[in-house]
Amino acid sequence: MDELPIGRRVAYWRNRRKMSQQVFADRLGKSKSWVDKVERGVRRLDKFSVVYEIADVLQVDVQLLLGKEPERKPESVNCVDAVEVAEIRAALERYDAFSAFFSPAGEPPPVPEMHKAVNHAWLTFQHARYGVLARSLPKLLRDAQAADTAYAATDQATDVAKLLGQVYQISSSVLRKLGELELAWLAADRSIAVAQRAGDPLLAGTATYRVGSALLALGRARPALEINVNVANRLAPGTGDSSPEQLSVYGMLLLQGAMAAARIGDSATMRDLLDGAADAGAAVGEDQNHYWSCFGPTNVLLHRAAASVEIGEGGLAVNVHEQSIPASSFTTLMPERRAHHFLDMARGFAQVGDVDRAGEMLLEGDRLAAAEIRCRPIAHEVLSDVLRRTKGTPSAPIAELAEHMGVGV
């Protein structure tokens, strides 16, 4: 595609976004005839500003329109390919605040629209629609960064900084799910700096949680444990009343710390942190979604099972899954959280040698939120293990899932 004229690249991305020439023209404020001439090479695109507007409408990085497209992996249901990852990386590498020293920033997006976009992105993540989210993240990152720069000297600066911090956190979360771990760490680190500037201790707490998650995924369990516990101690409830928001963020940090402790084999610390999170969950009363945490008593139980798997005690995880988690509360959790639990339990059942139940857990997760199973590297590893240990021919549903995921039977 590098050799194609820019007009053909525009046509390629317009078709990939399933956008007609008329719709594309309307969004650009141009005529359909203008678009047609550009795509056929009759009209040249010699203004960088116009190329940038086209890139924004098509939700691709401008470098892709200029012929610098990376190799793409085959499409997968609701997953992302290298092109989408490259676009997110390019958006994270922008430095709008620095550029504003040399030229005035463009018209920023309205703050109410940014609020809606960020809320929608969180819900998209919690419904495990990772492909949809990945395609919208580059523009959301550019808009949030531009707004943060443009509103820096206004009374909306703090509000916009909070929005940018959340966009970085969303980016970190989805990139970690998809195995882009260094980018996940970069986005999480950015979110901490912005949260400090926004002056919101709880947002800083959730940013710390994302950093801890990225570090844990990168195999750096000990620093993940330390950062989660240190910040949790700073947010610990006092002797007076604590808000559900504070308890939720505090509990999230303890849960992430417990996972890190399990990774390094420190079962005593793991259980202490889980017990502390259980106390916070009991104080919250029921599972809530404050600061997009999904925190509460049920989520604590899910982490108790996950930590048991992480430390190699699959039997304990199975007991929690089968005897302790109330079905009525479990079904109220967001799809991502439930499908994640099924993936954890697939690992747990595999640890105790029940590969049939492990396969059932993968299928349950796939039915609930396909991307959580089909797009995550860890799920591919678990499915490969199930197939390897299955005696005889795997069941038709497992074979079909393996085919969808590209895992050899």
Side-chain angles (χ1 to χ4, degrees):
M1 188 168 170
D2 289 0
E3 296 77 21
L4 291 180
I6 189 170
R8 292 281 299 280
R9 293 190 205 108
V10 171
Y12 167 82
W13 283 105
R14 176 182 60 77
N15 286 319
R16 187 170 171 187
R17 298 303 187 230
K18 296 180 171 56
M19 200 181 298
S20 69
Q21 282 190 337
Q22 186 61 63
V23 169
F24 182 46
D26 290 344
R27 294 183 182 181
L28 280 173
K30 304 286 187 181
S31 67
K32 180 182 177 182
S33 173
W34 184 91
V35 171
D36 182 66
K37 289 177 180 177
V38 165
E39 293 185 349
R40 289 189 293 113
V42 176
R43 174 184 282 272
R44 294 180 60 188
L45 286 175
D46 50 9
K47 289 186 177 180
F48 186 80
S49 59
V50 176
V51 177
Y52 197 89
E53 289 175 13
I54 290 173
D56 263 351
V57 170
L58 294 176
Q59 296 186 12
V60 301
D61 184 73
V62 69
Q63 296 301 318
L64 296 175
L65 292 183
L66 297 175
K68 298 181 179 179
E69 178 184 351
E71 292 266 332
R72 292 189 297 122
K73 296 183 293 186
E75 295 287 345
S76 181
V77 176
N78 208 25
C79 297
V80 298
D81 59 23
V83 172
E84 275 91 28
V85 173
E87 294 170 32
I88 296 171
R89 178 184 292 108
L92 283 170
E93 290 172 349
R94 288 166 58 88
Y95 289 89
D96 287 355
F98 183 72
S99 300
F101 281 113
F102 304 99
S103 60
E107 186 68 24
V111 176
E113 289 186 14
M114 285 298 304
H115 273 284
K116 291 179 182 178
V118 172
N119 287 340
H120 183 264
W122 273 122
L123 289 172
T124 303
F125 173 77
Q126 291 191 330
H127 281 84
R129 300 177 64 198
Y130 303 142
V132 173
L133 181 56
R135 286 185 283 277
S136 64
L137 267 180
K139 185 176 187 302
L140 184 58
L141 278 161
R142 290 194 295 268
D143 285 349
Q145 290 166 335
D148 185 56
T149 299
Y151 291 108
T154 72
D155 57 0
Q156 293 179 294
T158 298
D159 191 24
V160 173
K162 290 179 181 180
L163 291 172
L164 177 59
Q166 291 180 67
V167 174
Y168 283 140
Q169 291 193 40
I170 296 166
S171 301
S172 177
S173 296
V174 73
L175 287 165
R176 177 179 53 81
K177 290 277 191 181
L178 299 168
E180 298 292 336
L181 305 183
E182 293 291 346
L183 278 182
W185 181 85
L186 172 62
D189 187 65
R190 290 267 185 92
S191 72
I192 282 191
V194 175
Q196 290 174 334
R197 179 156 49 82
D200 185 339
L202 298 185
L203 185 64
T206 59
T208 301
Y209 174 89
R210 312 297 168 193
V211 169
S213 297
L215 289 172
L216 190 57
L218 285 164
R220 301 178 61 192
R222 195 166 295 280
L225 171 61
E226 290 173 357
I227 191 173
N228 277 287
V229 172
N230 287 342
V231 176
N233 287 337
R234 294 175 183 272
L235 294 176
T239 54
D241 292 336
S242 298
S243 68
E245 291 82 3
Q246 179 184 356
L247 289 165
S248 295
V249 176
Y250 169 71
M252 282 176 62
L253 290 164
L254 294 183
L255 291 178
Q256 187 61 247
M259 295 302 296
R263 182 72 63 86
I264 61 178
D266 187 348
S267 59
T269 299
M270 177 193 83
R271 292 187 174 90
D272 284 346
L273 293 173
L274 286 170
D275 289 345
D279 291 341
V284 170
E286 60 183 18
D287 294 270
Q288 303 288 337
N289 205 12
H290 299 298
Y291 278 75
W292 307 98
S293 63
C294 283
F295 181 76
T298 310
N299 202 355
V300 173
L301 290 171
L302 267 55
H303 277 80
R304 198 176 288 278
S308 297
V309 171
E310 202 63 54
I311 208 167
E313 296 179 346
L316 289 178
V318 169
N319 287 338
V320 173
H321 172 74
E322 294 183 335
Q323 300 177 18
S324 300
I325 299 173
S328 58
S329 300
F330 180 73
T331 55
T332 66
L333 298 178
M334 300 300 287
E336 177 272 336
R337 188 84 285 279
R338 287 182 281 155
H340 189 162
H341 173 67
F342 285 128
L343 177 54
D344 288 331
M345 290 314 306
R347 296 172 63 202
F349 279 110
Q351 284 180 359
V352 299
D354 193 341
V355 293
D356 289 338
R357 289 295 305 279
E360 290 173 11
M361 293 294 100
L362 290 174
L363 293 171
E364 286 287 347
D366 185 64
R367 281 189 285 267
L368 179 63
E372 181 67 17
I373 304 301
R374 302 188 186 192
C375 302
R376 296 197 60 190
I378 183 64
H380 286 242
E381 294 175 15
V382 175
L383 181 55
S384 294
D385 183 47
V386 168
L387 292 171
R388 185 174 61 253
R389 296 166 61 185
T390 296
K391 296 179 180 179
T393 304
S395 67
I398 286 292
E400 184 178 357
L401 178 60
E403 182 179 357
H404 281 303
M405 294 172 63
V407 177
V409 177

